[in-house]
């Protein structure tokens, strides 16, 4: 069979796992310099957001922390992709997933206080197809301590994120 005929038709959908490797963790206690009152956090945990809730809460006493979210990925015209599933967040043309920070509240329950947005839209269909076929692993390596020593939030700067495909 020719390569052309064995290629999946445009609009294909595959399932792919992203290995999320988290290093340079900020620790389980810190003073939040970004807040006027300088809030103190103790017992900080890192998780991944699925739907609207955080899960897989992990203590920050070991490195690396790893997550393995699975996505359905649809091929779009021009080699672009659309990530789908419970971990995919954001508008159709700018998908991402969240890592979330939480600490025990006054009631003792974990309460999320920051999120880190890891964008997915730059990943091309050929990269996704290779990862789905098992020819390559799709991984993102993140350094999770911000310059001020607090947990990294918002969109990570280029110095704190590395995609390996």
């Amino acid at each position: 069979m020719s390569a052309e005929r064995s290629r999946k038709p445009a609009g294909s959908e595959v399932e792919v796992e992203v290995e999320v490797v988290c290093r340079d963790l900020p620790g389980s206690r810190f003073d939040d310099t970004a807040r006027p009152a300088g809030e103190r956090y103790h017992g900080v945990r890192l998780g991944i957001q699925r739907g609207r809730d955080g899960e897989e809460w992990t203590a920050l006493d070991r490195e690396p922390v790893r997550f393995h979210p699975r996505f359905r990925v649809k091929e779009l015209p021009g080699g672009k992709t659309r990530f789908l599933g419970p971990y995919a967040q954001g508008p159709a043309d700018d998908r991402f997933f969240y890592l979330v920070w939480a600490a025990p509240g006054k009631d003792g329950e974990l309460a999320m206080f920051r999120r880190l947005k890891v964008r997915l839209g730059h990943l091309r269909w050929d990269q996704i197809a290779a990862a789905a076929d098992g020819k390559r692993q799709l991984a993102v390596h993140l350094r999770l301590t911000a310059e001020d020593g607090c947990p990294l939030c918002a969109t990570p700067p280029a110095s704190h994120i590395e995609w390996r495909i």
Side-chain angles (χ1 to χ4, degrees):
M1 183 183 321
S2 74
E4 185 62 34
R5 287 181 34 175
S6 66
R7 190 178 174 287
K8 292 183 169 108
S12 293
E13 186 174 299
V14 297
E15 188 170 296
V16 68
E17 178 180 279
V18 176
E19 181 178 39
V20 182
V21 182
C22 305
R23 297 186 189 280
D24 188 21
L25 301 172
S28 61
R29 322 174 66 160
F30 75 97
D31 295 333
D32 191 349
T33 58
R35 296 192 184 260
E39 250 180 277
R40 293 195 133 159
Y41 290 97
H42 303 277
V44 175
R45 301 284 189 268
L46 177 64
I48 188 165
Q49 187 168 326
R50 180 182 172 111
R52 296 178 54 95
D53 300 314
E55 65 178 27
E56 298 184 43
W57 296 110
T58 305
L60 304 179
D61 58 355
R62 64 179 174 85
E63 285 195 31
V65 170
R66 296 175 191 268
F67 299 100
H68 295 92
R70 294 191 71 77
F71 297 91
R72 293 184 340 274
V73 186
K74 185 173 179 80
E75 180 182 18
L76 299 177
K80 294 186 180 201
T81 58
R82 178 166 302 143
F83 283 74
L84 305 166
Y87 295 102
Q89 306 283 335
D93 63 343
D94 186 22
R95 293 289 193 186
F96 54 87
F97 67 90
Y98 282 123
L99 294 182
V100 289
W101 300 98
K106 291 179 180 167
D107 61 1
E109 295 291 318
L110 280 180
M112 291 189 286
F113 63 88
R114 286 189 181 176
R115 296 189 295 188
L116 178 74
K117 183 185 286 189
V118 182
R119 296 191 182 281
L120 299 164
H122 66 284
L123 297 168
R124 298 181 322 273
W125 179 253
D126 60 330
Q127 296 169 317
I128 298 303
D133 288 345
K135 295 176 184 166
R136 293 180 144 175
Q137 181 180 26
L138 182 60
V140 60
H141 292 248
L142 297 156
R143 291 181 37 229
L144 294 183
T145 299
E147 298 303 322
D148 63 1
C150 294
L152 192 64
C153 63
T155 300
S159 61
H160 284 65
I161 185 168
E162 178 188 357
W163 281 93
R164 297 181 185 175
I165 304 164

